Amino acid sequence: RKAGQGGRGSGNSTGGKSPGGQQAACGALSASAPGVTSTTVTVDVANLNLGGSIGNSTFHVRPDLTQIENALTDDINKHGGIACGRKLVIKQYGVNPLDANDGQSKCLQMASDHPFMVLNFGAYLTPAARQCFVQEKLLEEAGTQIDEAEAHSSYPYLFSPTAVAEQMVDAAISGFAKRGVFRSPKFKKI
């Protein structure tokens, strides 16, 4: 490609109004999915909350998660937004993964929000806890490990930015084997 002809670094990658660029390619914006309007994309965020600051500090959970998320959202919006210039709107929930009732009620609250998706930052740790999102047909990005069975049974609602558990274990064992971790030690007679 020649400089300035598409690809990375050309135009405004955040959906702003660049001459003849992405805005023209987007056409007339409309409400195209749950949580998506012509001007906004709404995302719910489930943050790990172990019963407040004392529980969180015991396990070194950052006390400023909501401030970080707000700052990222503000920065995205100040730089043109997402999905053809729409404003990103987040709604944050503190969820205690040790309290199944709290997790279920917060999931149902999120379902009533009708967001585009839910970002799960360690609030829903088990397949049973995450099942509410599948039942409610909510897209959920899992912030914790999922296995192949859950990935298949929860498709297309659950996804993860990491490899499934079985792939990670396989990769770890292969890596250890390549480094000789499983070879018998060489003994020398003294």
Side-chain angles (χ1 to χ4, degrees):
R1 289 188 185 147
K2 292 181 183 176
Q5 290 185 332
R8 290 180 178 236
S10 65
N12 185 334
S13 64
T14 58
K17 297 177 184 177
S18 57
Q22 197 168 5
Q23 193 67 16
C26 292
L29 300 178
S30 64
S32 56
V36 179
T37 70
S38 62
T39 58
T40 63
V41 175
T42 301
V43 173
D44 282 358
V45 181
N47 288 315
L48 174 65
N49 182 5
L50 295 171
S53 61
I54 293 173
N56 287 346
S57 66
T58 301
F59 292 95
H60 306 288
V61 176
R62 291 188 68 131
D64 56 351
L65 284 176
T66 58
Q67 291 89 345
I68 292 169
E69 292 158 1
N70 287 331
L72 287 170
T73 301
D74 289 345
D75 187 63
I76 288 167
N77 289 331
K78 285 177 187 170
H79 289 90
I82 60 174
C84 296
R86 290 176 173 97
K87 180 180 175 186
L88 176 61
V89 177
I90 62 170
K91 185 168 182 183
Q92 299 160 312
Y93 289 89
V95 181
N96 186 345
L98 305 176
D99 182 348
N101 291 327
D102 182 55
Q104 180 69 17
S105 70
K106 299 278 175 63
C107 174
L108 294 174
Q109 287 175 34
M110 288 182 242
S112 71
D113 293 342
H114 304 288
F116 174 68
M117 68 177 296
V118 175
L119 297 176
N120 172 8
F121 291 117
Y124 293 88
L125 300 174
T126 66
R130 291 187 288 265
Q131 195 58 179
C132 174
F133 296 107
V134 175
Q135 291 166 348
E136 296 296 325
K137 297 182 176 10
L138 284 174
L139 290 175
E140 179 211 354
E141 183 272 324
T144 57
Q145 195 66 50
I146 62 175
D147 64 21
E148 285 184 16
E150 184 181 14
H152 289 291
S153 69
S154 300
Y155 179 82
Y157 302 106
L158 176 66
F159 62 97
S160 175
T162 62
V164 293
E166 292 86 349
Q167 290 171 329
M168 292 185 85
V169 170
D170 182 64
I173 291 170
S174 294
F176 288 146
K178 286 178 185 175
R179 288 166 181 78
V181 172
F182 302 120
R183 288 187 204 130
S184 298
K186 295 180 182 179
F187 293 105
K188 291 185 180 181
K189 203 171 193 181
I190 300 181

